[in-house]
Amino acid sequence: MKQPEILLVEDDDELRAATALALELAGLRVRARASAEEALHLTGYGFNGAVISDIRMPGMDGMTLMAKIRDHDPEIPVILVTGHADVQLAVRAMHEGAYDFVEKPFANAHLVDIASRALEMRRLVLENRVLRAAAGHPDDLEQRLTGRSAAMIDLRHRLRAVGPTDADVLIIGETGTGKEVVARAIHDLSDRAGKPFVAINCAALPEMLIESELFGHEAGAFPGAMRARFGKFELARGGTILLDEIGAMSPEVQAKLLRVIQERATTRLGANEPYSLDVRFIATSKDDLDARVAEGRFRADLLYRLNVVTLRLPPLAERREDIPMLFLRLVADAATRYRRDPVEVPPQVMAALAERSWPGNVRELRNAADRVGLGLGLEFDAARPGEAEHPETGGGTLAERMAAHEKAVIANALAANGGNLRAVYESLGLSRKALYMKIRKYGLDRRGFILDDEPE
């Protein structure tokens, strides 16, 4: 396992240098960054360390940084450094999941003590994950991409195969299906896991600034360029670049990106000398890029460069049997994140959840789970007729569509009853033998279910 480290985020140059020195003299490995944006790229599910961040910083502040880190992995310890006026804010941060906080001015020994305890906690978390995987429990990938459907099992299998390689990857999926989660998993499975993961939202970059943002620029390269600036490509050296919604790039930028991917080198605006670029590219799109190529809106040669491996993420409507299990996990995560008591979700609500269409996919389901975890309930009445939609089984014969519906009903009942088989066959009006036959018929994975005490 990689040596643990402290990721120190402080915009004040002198304080950052002094704090880093104090931590290093205490025997801790430190990586210091001047902004939250730079630091965020260095964290992920496999991050072996703890974060110390100032709360008040220009741009992204410490509270926002903590929230984004917890989105990647809620078990990364985040220590916040506050001024006297921010103590109440720090206390609120503790309720939202911060590991601890220190008030300026602080004693170096006190900060070292907190940081050491945070590193020890993180070590135990990572070791426990490894032990759980070795014992046959769901591994990191299975916890990040929850689901027992054939589509999710196949996706995890492909990720384990492609992750450790250096192949560029194209991820296709509807909004909210977890494209960035998959991209981060690929990064964490590779030898680049300890290097930056730089996510670039191609749809959000202003057209006039996109080249400067990606490639960087020298001082005087254009009006207003008062000093040289690193581009996002340069910040990711040795790591992974995620080009989110790459289809939104203009044809001109697509041409320059193609050259970067081909040559693995780039040049800052206003410079003459290129610099080498040791990175892996992952691109995502919610649209069919082949169709965009046919329409003349996307370069065919760029698509061929990017889709060395293509991963297609299934929407929730195509894996309804995963919805109850996924929802319960998201509710438990929300209750933990908001420091609330565990919430019990009634079986009839679980059944209704699995029959809804969820056009926003996992993102929409997570929002619903957050409301339940906060004790606010759902925004629809699961008992009202007409609220739940029937599963979209697509084409096929009537028999095939009925079989798909029956499979979804049984999977939902298994999850809604906590996997207890007796409760399931009694609620569905089936015999024990008939339920087992249908489980085998539809290939439902029973490893996630709880068997009752009767012999099969």
Side-chain angles (χ1 to χ4, degrees), residues 7 39-49 51 68-69 71-76 122 126 129 144 184 187-188 193 195 197:
L7 180 55
L40 185 61
H41 302 319
L42 302 174
T43 62
Y45 200 77
F47 174 65
N48 184 14
V51 177
K68 289 183 176 294
I69 288 173
D71 284 343
H72 301 161
D73 184 350
E75 294 183 293
I76 293 177
R122 184 61 176 169
L126 295 179
R129 289 176 181 174
R144 297 161 83 171
R184 284 187 173 276
H187 173 73
D188 290 342
K195 300 294 184 178
F197 177 91

Side-chain angles (χ1 to χ4, degrees), residues 216-229:
H217 62 256
E218 296 291 350
F222 51 85
M226 304 301 294
R227 58 181 180 178
R229 178 180 177 180

Side-chain angles (χ1 to χ4, degrees), residues 281-395:
F281 284 98
I282 301 177
T284 73
S285 176
K286 64 174 181 281
D287 301 317
D288 184 353
L289 292 183
D290 287 311
R292 282 181 169 263
V293 169
E295 296 166 359
R297 293 191 294 161
F298 198 81
R299 295 182 63 107
D301 46 4
L302 177 57
L303 176 59
Y304 298 147
R305 283 285 178 179
L306 288 170
N307 67 348
V308 176
V309 176
T310 300
L311 300 174
R312 298 188 182 275
L313 307 192
L316 283 182
E318 292 180 9
R319 56 183 189 106
R320 292 180 181 275
E321 62 266 41
D322 290 337
I323 292 175
M325 179 191 301
L326 178 57
F327 185 75
L328 290 174
R329 177 177 178 81
L330 293 172
V331 168
D333 289 346
T336 300
R337 189 166 66 252
Y338 297 120
R339 301 198 175 188
R340 300 297 182 94
D341 292 332
V343 177
E344 184 175 345
V345 184
Q348 65 270 24
V349 173
M350 298 296 297
L353 287 169
E355 292 186 356
R356 291 177 68 81
S357 59
W358 299 108
N361 293 293
V362 179
R363 185 176 301 149
E364 183 183 359
L365 188 68
R366 179 181 289 110
N367 291 339
D370 277 2
R371 290 193 292 272
V372 171
L374 284 167
L376 301 178
L378 293 169
E379 292 184 350
F380 68 93
D381 183 354
R384 283 170 50 193
E387 277 291 308
E389 301 116 12
H390 292 290
E392 300 290 341
T393 53

Side-chain angles (χ1 to χ4, degrees), residues 121-345:
M121 188 195 81
R122 184 61 176 169
R123 182 186 68 80
L124 293 174
V125 166
L126 295 179
E127 285 186 0
N128 185 52
R129 289 176 181 174
V130 173
L131 291 173
R132 283 178 59 82
H137 294 285
D139 61 12
D140 288 353
L141 199 54
E142 209 160 330
Q143 296 199 27
R144 297 161 83 171
L145 297 166
T146 301
R148 293 291 188 177
S149 62
M152 293 304 291
I153 291 172
D154 178 65
L155 175 62
R156 291 193 295 265
H157 173 75
R158 298 188 70 189
L159 285 177
R160 292 186 180 101
V162 74
T165 73
D166 250 353
D168 294 335
V169 180
L170 176 62
I171 304 171
I172 305 293
E174 294 180 8
T175 298
T177 49
K179 297 187 288 293
E180 184 169 344
V181 174
V182 171
R184 284 187 173 276
I186 293 171
H187 173 73
D188 290 342
L189 287 168
S190 72
D191 291 337
R192 301 178 182 272
K195 300 294 184 178
F197 177 91
V198 178
I200 302 168
N201 187 342
C202 301
L205 288 174
E207 187 67 29
M208 299 297 293
L209 299 177
I210 189 168
E211 290 187 50
S212 173
E213 288 287 328
L214 298 183
F215 307 116
H217 62 256
E218 296 291 350
F222 51 85
M226 304 301 294
R227 58 181 180 178
R229 178 180 177 180
F230 286 104
K232 291 187 180 295
F233 285 174
E234 199 168 353
L235 288 174
R237 281 202 221 185
T240 301
I241 293 173
L242 169 62
L243 298 167
D244 194 21
E245 294 305 334
I246 191 171
M249 277 187 171
S250 67
E252 294 76 15
V253 179
Q254 288 178 32
K256 294 186 177 183
L257 175 62
L258 173 64
R259 187 178 186 89
V260 171
I261 294 175
Q262 287 176 328
E263 300 178 1
R264 284 307 199 264
T266 188
T267 307
R268 291 184 187 177
L269 297 180
N272 296 317
E273 293 297 323
Y275 58 85
S276 61
L277 201 61
D278 174 23
V279 297
R280 180 186 200 171
F281 284 98
I282 301 177
T284 73
S285 176
K286 64 174 181 281
D287 301 317
D288 184 353
L289 292 183
D290 287 311
R292 282 181 169 263
V293 169
E295 296 166 359
R297 293 191 294 161
F298 198 81
R299 295 182 63 107
D301 46 4
L302 177 57
L303 176 59
Y304 298 147
R305 283 285 178 179
L306 288 170
N307 67 348
V308 176
V309 176
T310 300
L311 300 174
R312 298 188 182 275
L313 307 192
L316 283 182
E318 292 180 9
R319 56 183 189 106
R320 292 180 181 275
E321 62 266 41
D322 290 337
I323 292 175
M325 179 191 301
L326 178 57
F327 185 75
L328 290 174
R329 177 177 178 81
L330 293 172
V331 168
D333 289 346
T336 300
R337 189 166 66 252
Y338 297 120
R339 301 198 175 188
R340 300 297 182 94
D341 292 332
V343 177
E344 184 175 345
V345 184

Side-chain angles (χ1 to χ4, degrees), residues 24-40:
E24 289 170 345
L25 289 174
L28 302 179
R29 183 169 177 262
V30 181
R31 194 185 311 204
R33 292 293 183 269
S35 71
E37 289 83 359
E38 294 178 59
L40 185 61

